[in-house]
Amino acid sequence: MRVFKFGGASVKDADGVKNVVNVLKQVGHKDTLLVVSAMGKTTNAMEVLVHNYFNNKEAISASLQEIVDYHDGILKGLFSTNQHKVYEKVKTLFEEIKGFLTWNKSPNYNFVYDQIVGYAELISTTIISEYFQEIGIANTWLDVRKFIKTDSNYRDGVVDWDKTQELVSKGINNKLLNITQGFLGSEDNNFTTTLGREGSDYTAAILAYCLNAESVTIWKDVPGVLNADPRYFKETQLLNKISYREAIELAFYGASVIHPKTLQPLQRKEIPLHVKSFINPKDAGTTVGKGNGIEPKVPCFIVKKNQVLMKLSSLDFSFIVENNISELFKLLHDHRMKVDLIQNSAISFSVCIDNKFGGLEDLLAILKGKFNVEYHTDVSLYTIRHFNTEAIASLQNGHEVLLEQRAKETVQLVVR
């Protein structure tokens, strides 16, 4: 079995869905599992809906209607009549969202987030499955929440591999074309969990691992893995081959084309990962697998925007020692801060963090009672793998460098 993952950009409109069909006609779809994300920017729109649920009740109806209208436009572009059964299926899913917003009593933002945002994938795959049936491509729609089991860490669920393996082995017929959702799982009480933003790649890897798939292909709007994000860098170069180890390094530092968790299960079973263009599906793209380094060996640029750089020093100018550092990491963990870079000296400790869960103000309030605290928000963290002098100079030009850290193969700069 092969596992294909199609992201939101590939199914952002009716023409995108039709192009997925074109891709499958060119590369085949026998014994294939499709993992499909939410359509276009629907996840963002669902996040707005959750925000309004907690902060602006009067805007709930309008924000939900915007999502309904967007999908209605895609339905009209795919189906010749609004009497098709898909309309009723999609309507039912939206009614479930309305129902949840009405009866929910939980004040837990992360719980509510997962129950609402997860519907984006359910709606997307329902539309695509029904469209495939309509044009004669037989397929089986699967609810991935029945297969991927996690703990109750909402918005960042940890996979229970034993339960997941058992459910996948028993419940998925790998001789069919199956269509399922990315990003989602469920906990022991069958409430929806999510695997973290951009977790659909990880979903594909989980299912590939459990199915002993021959390969995973991630279909993107770029020709493969590039040495830099074209949204932020003018000149980019395609990487033809990347070893698992090198890809994990790139993912760890934040390369957006591959989810950080995706590679680990694939490496354990040596399942190759292909990153290819859904615009030119016959092109070779990039292959991640066994081997050494990258081909060609060129500097790779990674940027993380909207970071926070904090510098902490002891109130009495004593050394920052193990006890201090242990306490700091516990506080960072408790406030769900993702640490992207650390640097310490005798009397100071600097850390670059991602405040994606919004806990910065509470964290700072605690830290200021224990340390001298300097911090900068809205900074950017640049990482260069396989750097050279020219690559570093290109980033320093026009930026104020707040912190620099070098290793043998990697240099990191925090700039504003």
Side-chain angles (χ1 to χ4, degrees):
M1 168 166 265
R2 299 174 302 171
V3 177
F4 288 173
K5 181 262 177 174
F6 287 92
S10 65
V11 291
K12 65 182 180 180
D13 51 28
D15 287 341
V17 176
K18 292 174 183 177
N19 186 64
V20 170
V21 174
N22 177 56
V23 170
L24 296 181
K25 286 181 177 178
Q26 291 192 54
V27 302
H29 53 77
K30 183 180 179 183
D31 304 341
T32 301
L33 172 64
L34 301 188
V35 174
V36 185
S37 298
M39 291 175 152
K41 300 294 185 180
T42 304
T43 298
N44 293 344
M46 289 287 193
E47 289 178 337
V48 171
L49 178 61
V50 175
H51 173 82
N52 288 339
Y53 175 77
F54 283 99
N55 301 290
N56 188 5
K57 298 286 188 184
E58 293 180 357
I60 289 176
S61 179
S63 53
L64 180 58
Q65 189 60 46
E66 183 180 323
I67 301 168
V68 172
D69 291 344
Y70 169 68
H71 287 90
D72 191 54
I74 294 175
L75 287 167
K76 289 177 179 176
L78 294 175
F79 299 92
S80 58
T81 172
N82 61 6
Q83 301 302 310
H84 193 283
K85 64 180 179 178
V86 69
Y87 280 87
E88 191 62 33
K89 288 188 174 185
V90 171
K91 180 182 177 182
T92 298
L93 291 170
F94 278 116
E95 290 297 329
E96 289 177 9
I97 295 174
K98 292 177 183 177
F100 176 84
L101 293 173
T102 300
W103 61 254
N104 172 65
K105 297 295 188 291
S106 174
N108 183 332
Y109 186 95
N110 293 328
F111 170 77
V112 173
Y113 178 101
D114 280 5
Q115 307 322 301
I116 295 298
V117 173
Y119 273 97
E121 271 74 10
L122 297 171
I123 294 166
S124 170
T125 52
T126 296
I127 293 172
I128 291 167
S129 175
E130 288 295 334
Y131 177 67
F132 279 20
Q133 299 285 13
E134 177 76 0
I135 63 172
I137 300 178
N139 68 90
T140 300
W141 183 90
L142 302 173
D143 186 339
V144 77
R145 297 172 299 178
K146 295 181 178 179
F147 301 99
I148 295 181
K149 304 299 290 187
T150 75
D151 64 5
S152 298
N153 189 29
Y154 300 106
R155 293 185 71 184
D156 199 15
V158 176
V159 175
D160 184 323
W161 285 94
D162 291 337
K163 288 183 181 178
T164 299
Q165 178 68 72
E166 181 182 1
L167 292 167
V168 169
S169 297
K170 290 181 178 179
I172 297 181
N173 184 342
N174 60 9
K175 297 301 181 184
L176 303 174
L177 171 61
N178 296 284
I179 298 177
T180 196
Q181 307 78 38
F183 186 48
L184 307 182
S186 67
E187 36 93 299
D188 286 343
N189 293 314
N190 293 321
F191 284 109
T192 304
T193 56
T194 60
L195 305 176
R197 282 300 300 266
E198 310 302 330
S200 294
D201 292 0
Y202 187 35
T203 303
I206 294 166
L207 295 173
Y209 178 91
C210 294
L211 290 164
N212 294 314
E214 69 175 51
S215 65
V216 173
T217 302
I218 299 174
W219 296 96
K220 308 280 289 185
D221 55 358
V222 291
V225 178
L226 304 175
N227 74 320
D229 189 329
R231 293 175 297 176
Y232 306 118
F233 298 89
K234 292 181 180 179
E235 296 182 8
T236 61
Q237 189 169 347
L238 178 68
L239 304 177
N240 302 317
K241 295 181 180 179
I242 312 176
S243 68
Y244 289 118
R245 178 179 293 276
E246 183 65 32
I248 288 171
E249 290 278 3
L250 293 172
F252 171 79
Y253 289 116
S256 60
V257 76
I258 302 173
H259 190 277
K261 298 177 184 176
T262 299
L263 295 158
Q264 292 160 347
L266 299 181
Q267 183 184 28
R268 287 202 295 269
K269 288 191 175 180
E270 296 185 356
I271 299 171
L273 171 67
H274 306 294
V275 182
K276 303 183 71 172
S277 166
F278 59 71
I279 301 167
N280 299 297
K282 287 289 192 177
D283 288 356
T286 301
T287 297
V288 181
K290 292 178 66 177
N292 296 312
I294 60 174
E295 176 194 316
K297 191 168 185 178
V298 294
C300 295
F301 298 83
I302 301 159
V303 59
K304 288 186 176 182
K305 301 281 188 178
N306 302 314
Q307 300 283 292
V308 179
L309 178 65
M310 292 196 301
K311 182 178 179 181
L312 311 174
S313 57
S314 55
L315 294 171
D316 60 359
F317 294 99
S318 60
F319 291 153
I320 296 286
V321 293
E322 288 82 357
N323 288 345
N324 305 116
I325 294 173
S326 174
E327 181 182 14
L328 286 168
F329 272 101
K330 184 177 187 308
L331 287 169
L332 291 167
H333 172 76
D334 290 345
H335 290 80
R336 304 188 76 181
M337 294 291 174
K338 185 180 185 303
V339 176
D340 292 319
L341 179 150
I342 59 173
Q343 189 176 92
N344 68 292
S345 66
I347 61 172
S348 69
F349 180 88
S350 296
V351 58
C352 189
I353 55 177
D354 189 339
N355 183 34
K356 69 176 182 176
F357 292 107
L360 180 63
E361 288 189 14
D362 291 341
L363 175 62
L364 287 172
I366 297 172
L367 290 175
K368 287 178 179 179
K370 299 173 180 289
F371 302 93
N372 289 313
V373 181
E374 298 176 33
Y375 68 97
H376 304 274
T377 58
D378 296 324
V379 299
S380 297
L381 171 62
Y382 286 91
T383 302
I384 313 175
R385 287 280 294 166
H386 312 296
F387 63 91
N388 55 34
T389 303
E390 183 181 352
I392 296 173
S394 69
L395 293 185
Q396 292 175 328
N397 184 31
H399 290 119
E400 178 187 359
V401 178
L402 301 174
L403 184 148
E404 178 178 333
Q405 187 160 274
R406 296 193 188 201
K408 181 179 179 181
E409 293 281 354
T410 306
V411 63
Q412 292 186 283
L413 304 172
V414 180
V415 305
R416 64 176 177 183

